Amino acid sequence: MLNHKGTTSLETGRLILRQFSEKDATEMYNNWASDTEVTKYLTWPTHSSVEVTSKVIGMWVDNYKNMECYQWAIELKENGQVIGSISLMNIDNHVENCEIGYCIGKAFWNKGIVTEAFSSIIDFAFNQVGFQRITGRHHVGNPASGKVMEKCGLKYEGLLRKISKNSSGILVDCKYYSILKDEY
């Protein structure tokens, strides 16, 4: 039985993972949501304006009252800047599993930041909420995301063809990974 806690603040060596607030819209827009290179392999389109970003954050903030909502802002401790997001989604209470999704600004790639955030979320998901399985997937053109999953202990399960639509609405192939609580 899962013990949902909602988007609880978590802290790592370099990061604070916390709920988004309306004041994060400009940083989200500037750091990643407006960058076509960042959104190229994602399921949502590049934001055309900070107003679009504000609306998205507004929906997330409204959803925080739901204890099954897990949508964190990735904030750098050193300067308080919001540089990305990480979430648990596609929650299945019956079989106690979820999927993780993440996105970070290009200026912060290859610094171990997503791995650090993801590791903290895995610990939270298994040890506080009680999930038994966490999955992750990435567009086949984005192998760096798979490397993050492997660094976090997820095992490659296989390729699913034309399983997801990219930000342009085109069906794409994705590689799937998972980690089980009893492996953690």
Side-chain angles (χ1 to χ4, degrees):
M1 181 99 177
L2 296 174
N3 178 27
H4 287 294
K5 300 190 174 284
T7 307
T8 305
S9 289
L10 305 171
E11 197 170 317
T12 70
R14 297 180 288 173
L15 309 171
I16 295 172
L17 306 178
R18 60 161 175 82
Q19 292 184 357
F20 276 91
S21 72
E22 306 287 345
K23 69 176 178 51
D24 297 322
T26 301
E27 285 184 349
M28 178 175 167
Y29 179 78
N30 290 335
N31 284 335
W32 75 94
S34 64
D35 188 335
T36 55
E37 199 173 338
V38 171
T39 63
K40 180 159 92 173
Y41 299 117
L42 302 179
T43 58
W44 50 270
T46 307
H47 292 185
S48 58
S49 68
V50 74
E51 289 76 26
V52 171
T53 306
S54 290
K55 285 180 185 166
V56 169
I57 289 177
M59 289 187 302
W60 291 342
V61 168
D62 288 346
N63 205 24
Y64 284 137
K65 61 185 168 278
N66 175 358
M67 286 295 105
E68 291 185 28
C69 171
Y70 298 100
Q71 179 72 52
W72 289 273
I74 301 172
E75 178 185 310
L76 289 176
K77 278 184 185 177
E78 68 183 47
N79 59 17
Q81 187 177 17
V82 176
I83 60 165
S85 67
I86 190 164
S87 62
L88 296 177
M89 56 199 185
N90 299 329
I91 292 168
D92 187 325
N93 288 303
H94 180 69
V95 293
E96 300 176 348
N97 69 44
C98 63
E99 182 177 350
I100 194 151
Y102 45 83
C103 183
I104 193 166
K106 188 172 43 187
F108 308 97
W109 290 357
N110 301 311
K111 298 180 186 318
I113 291 169
V114 173
T115 302
E116 186 174 326
F118 193 166
S119 296
S120 178
I121 300 297
I122 290 171
D123 185 68
F124 170 81
F126 284 151
N127 295 322
Q128 292 191 45
V129 182
F131 285 107
Q132 295 300 310
R133 182 175 192 268
I134 300 169
T135 61
R137 65 184 154 123
H138 69 84
H139 182 291
V140 292
N142 188 11
S145 190
K147 285 186 175 42
V148 169
M149 292 177 203
E150 289 172 343
K151 283 183 201 169
C152 291
L154 281 74
K155 291 182 173 48
Y156 176 67
E157 292 187 329
L159 172 86
L160 294 182
R161 298 175 302 152
K162 295 197 178 196
I163 188 66
S164 182
K165 285 191 177 178
N166 68 10
S167 58
S168 302
I170 297 167
L171 285 167
V172 298
D173 300 346
C174 290
K175 290 186 174 184
Y176 279 73
Y177 299 75
S178 74
I179 186 170
L180 306 177
K181 186 175 184 178
D182 61 12
E183 297 171 334
Y184 178 66

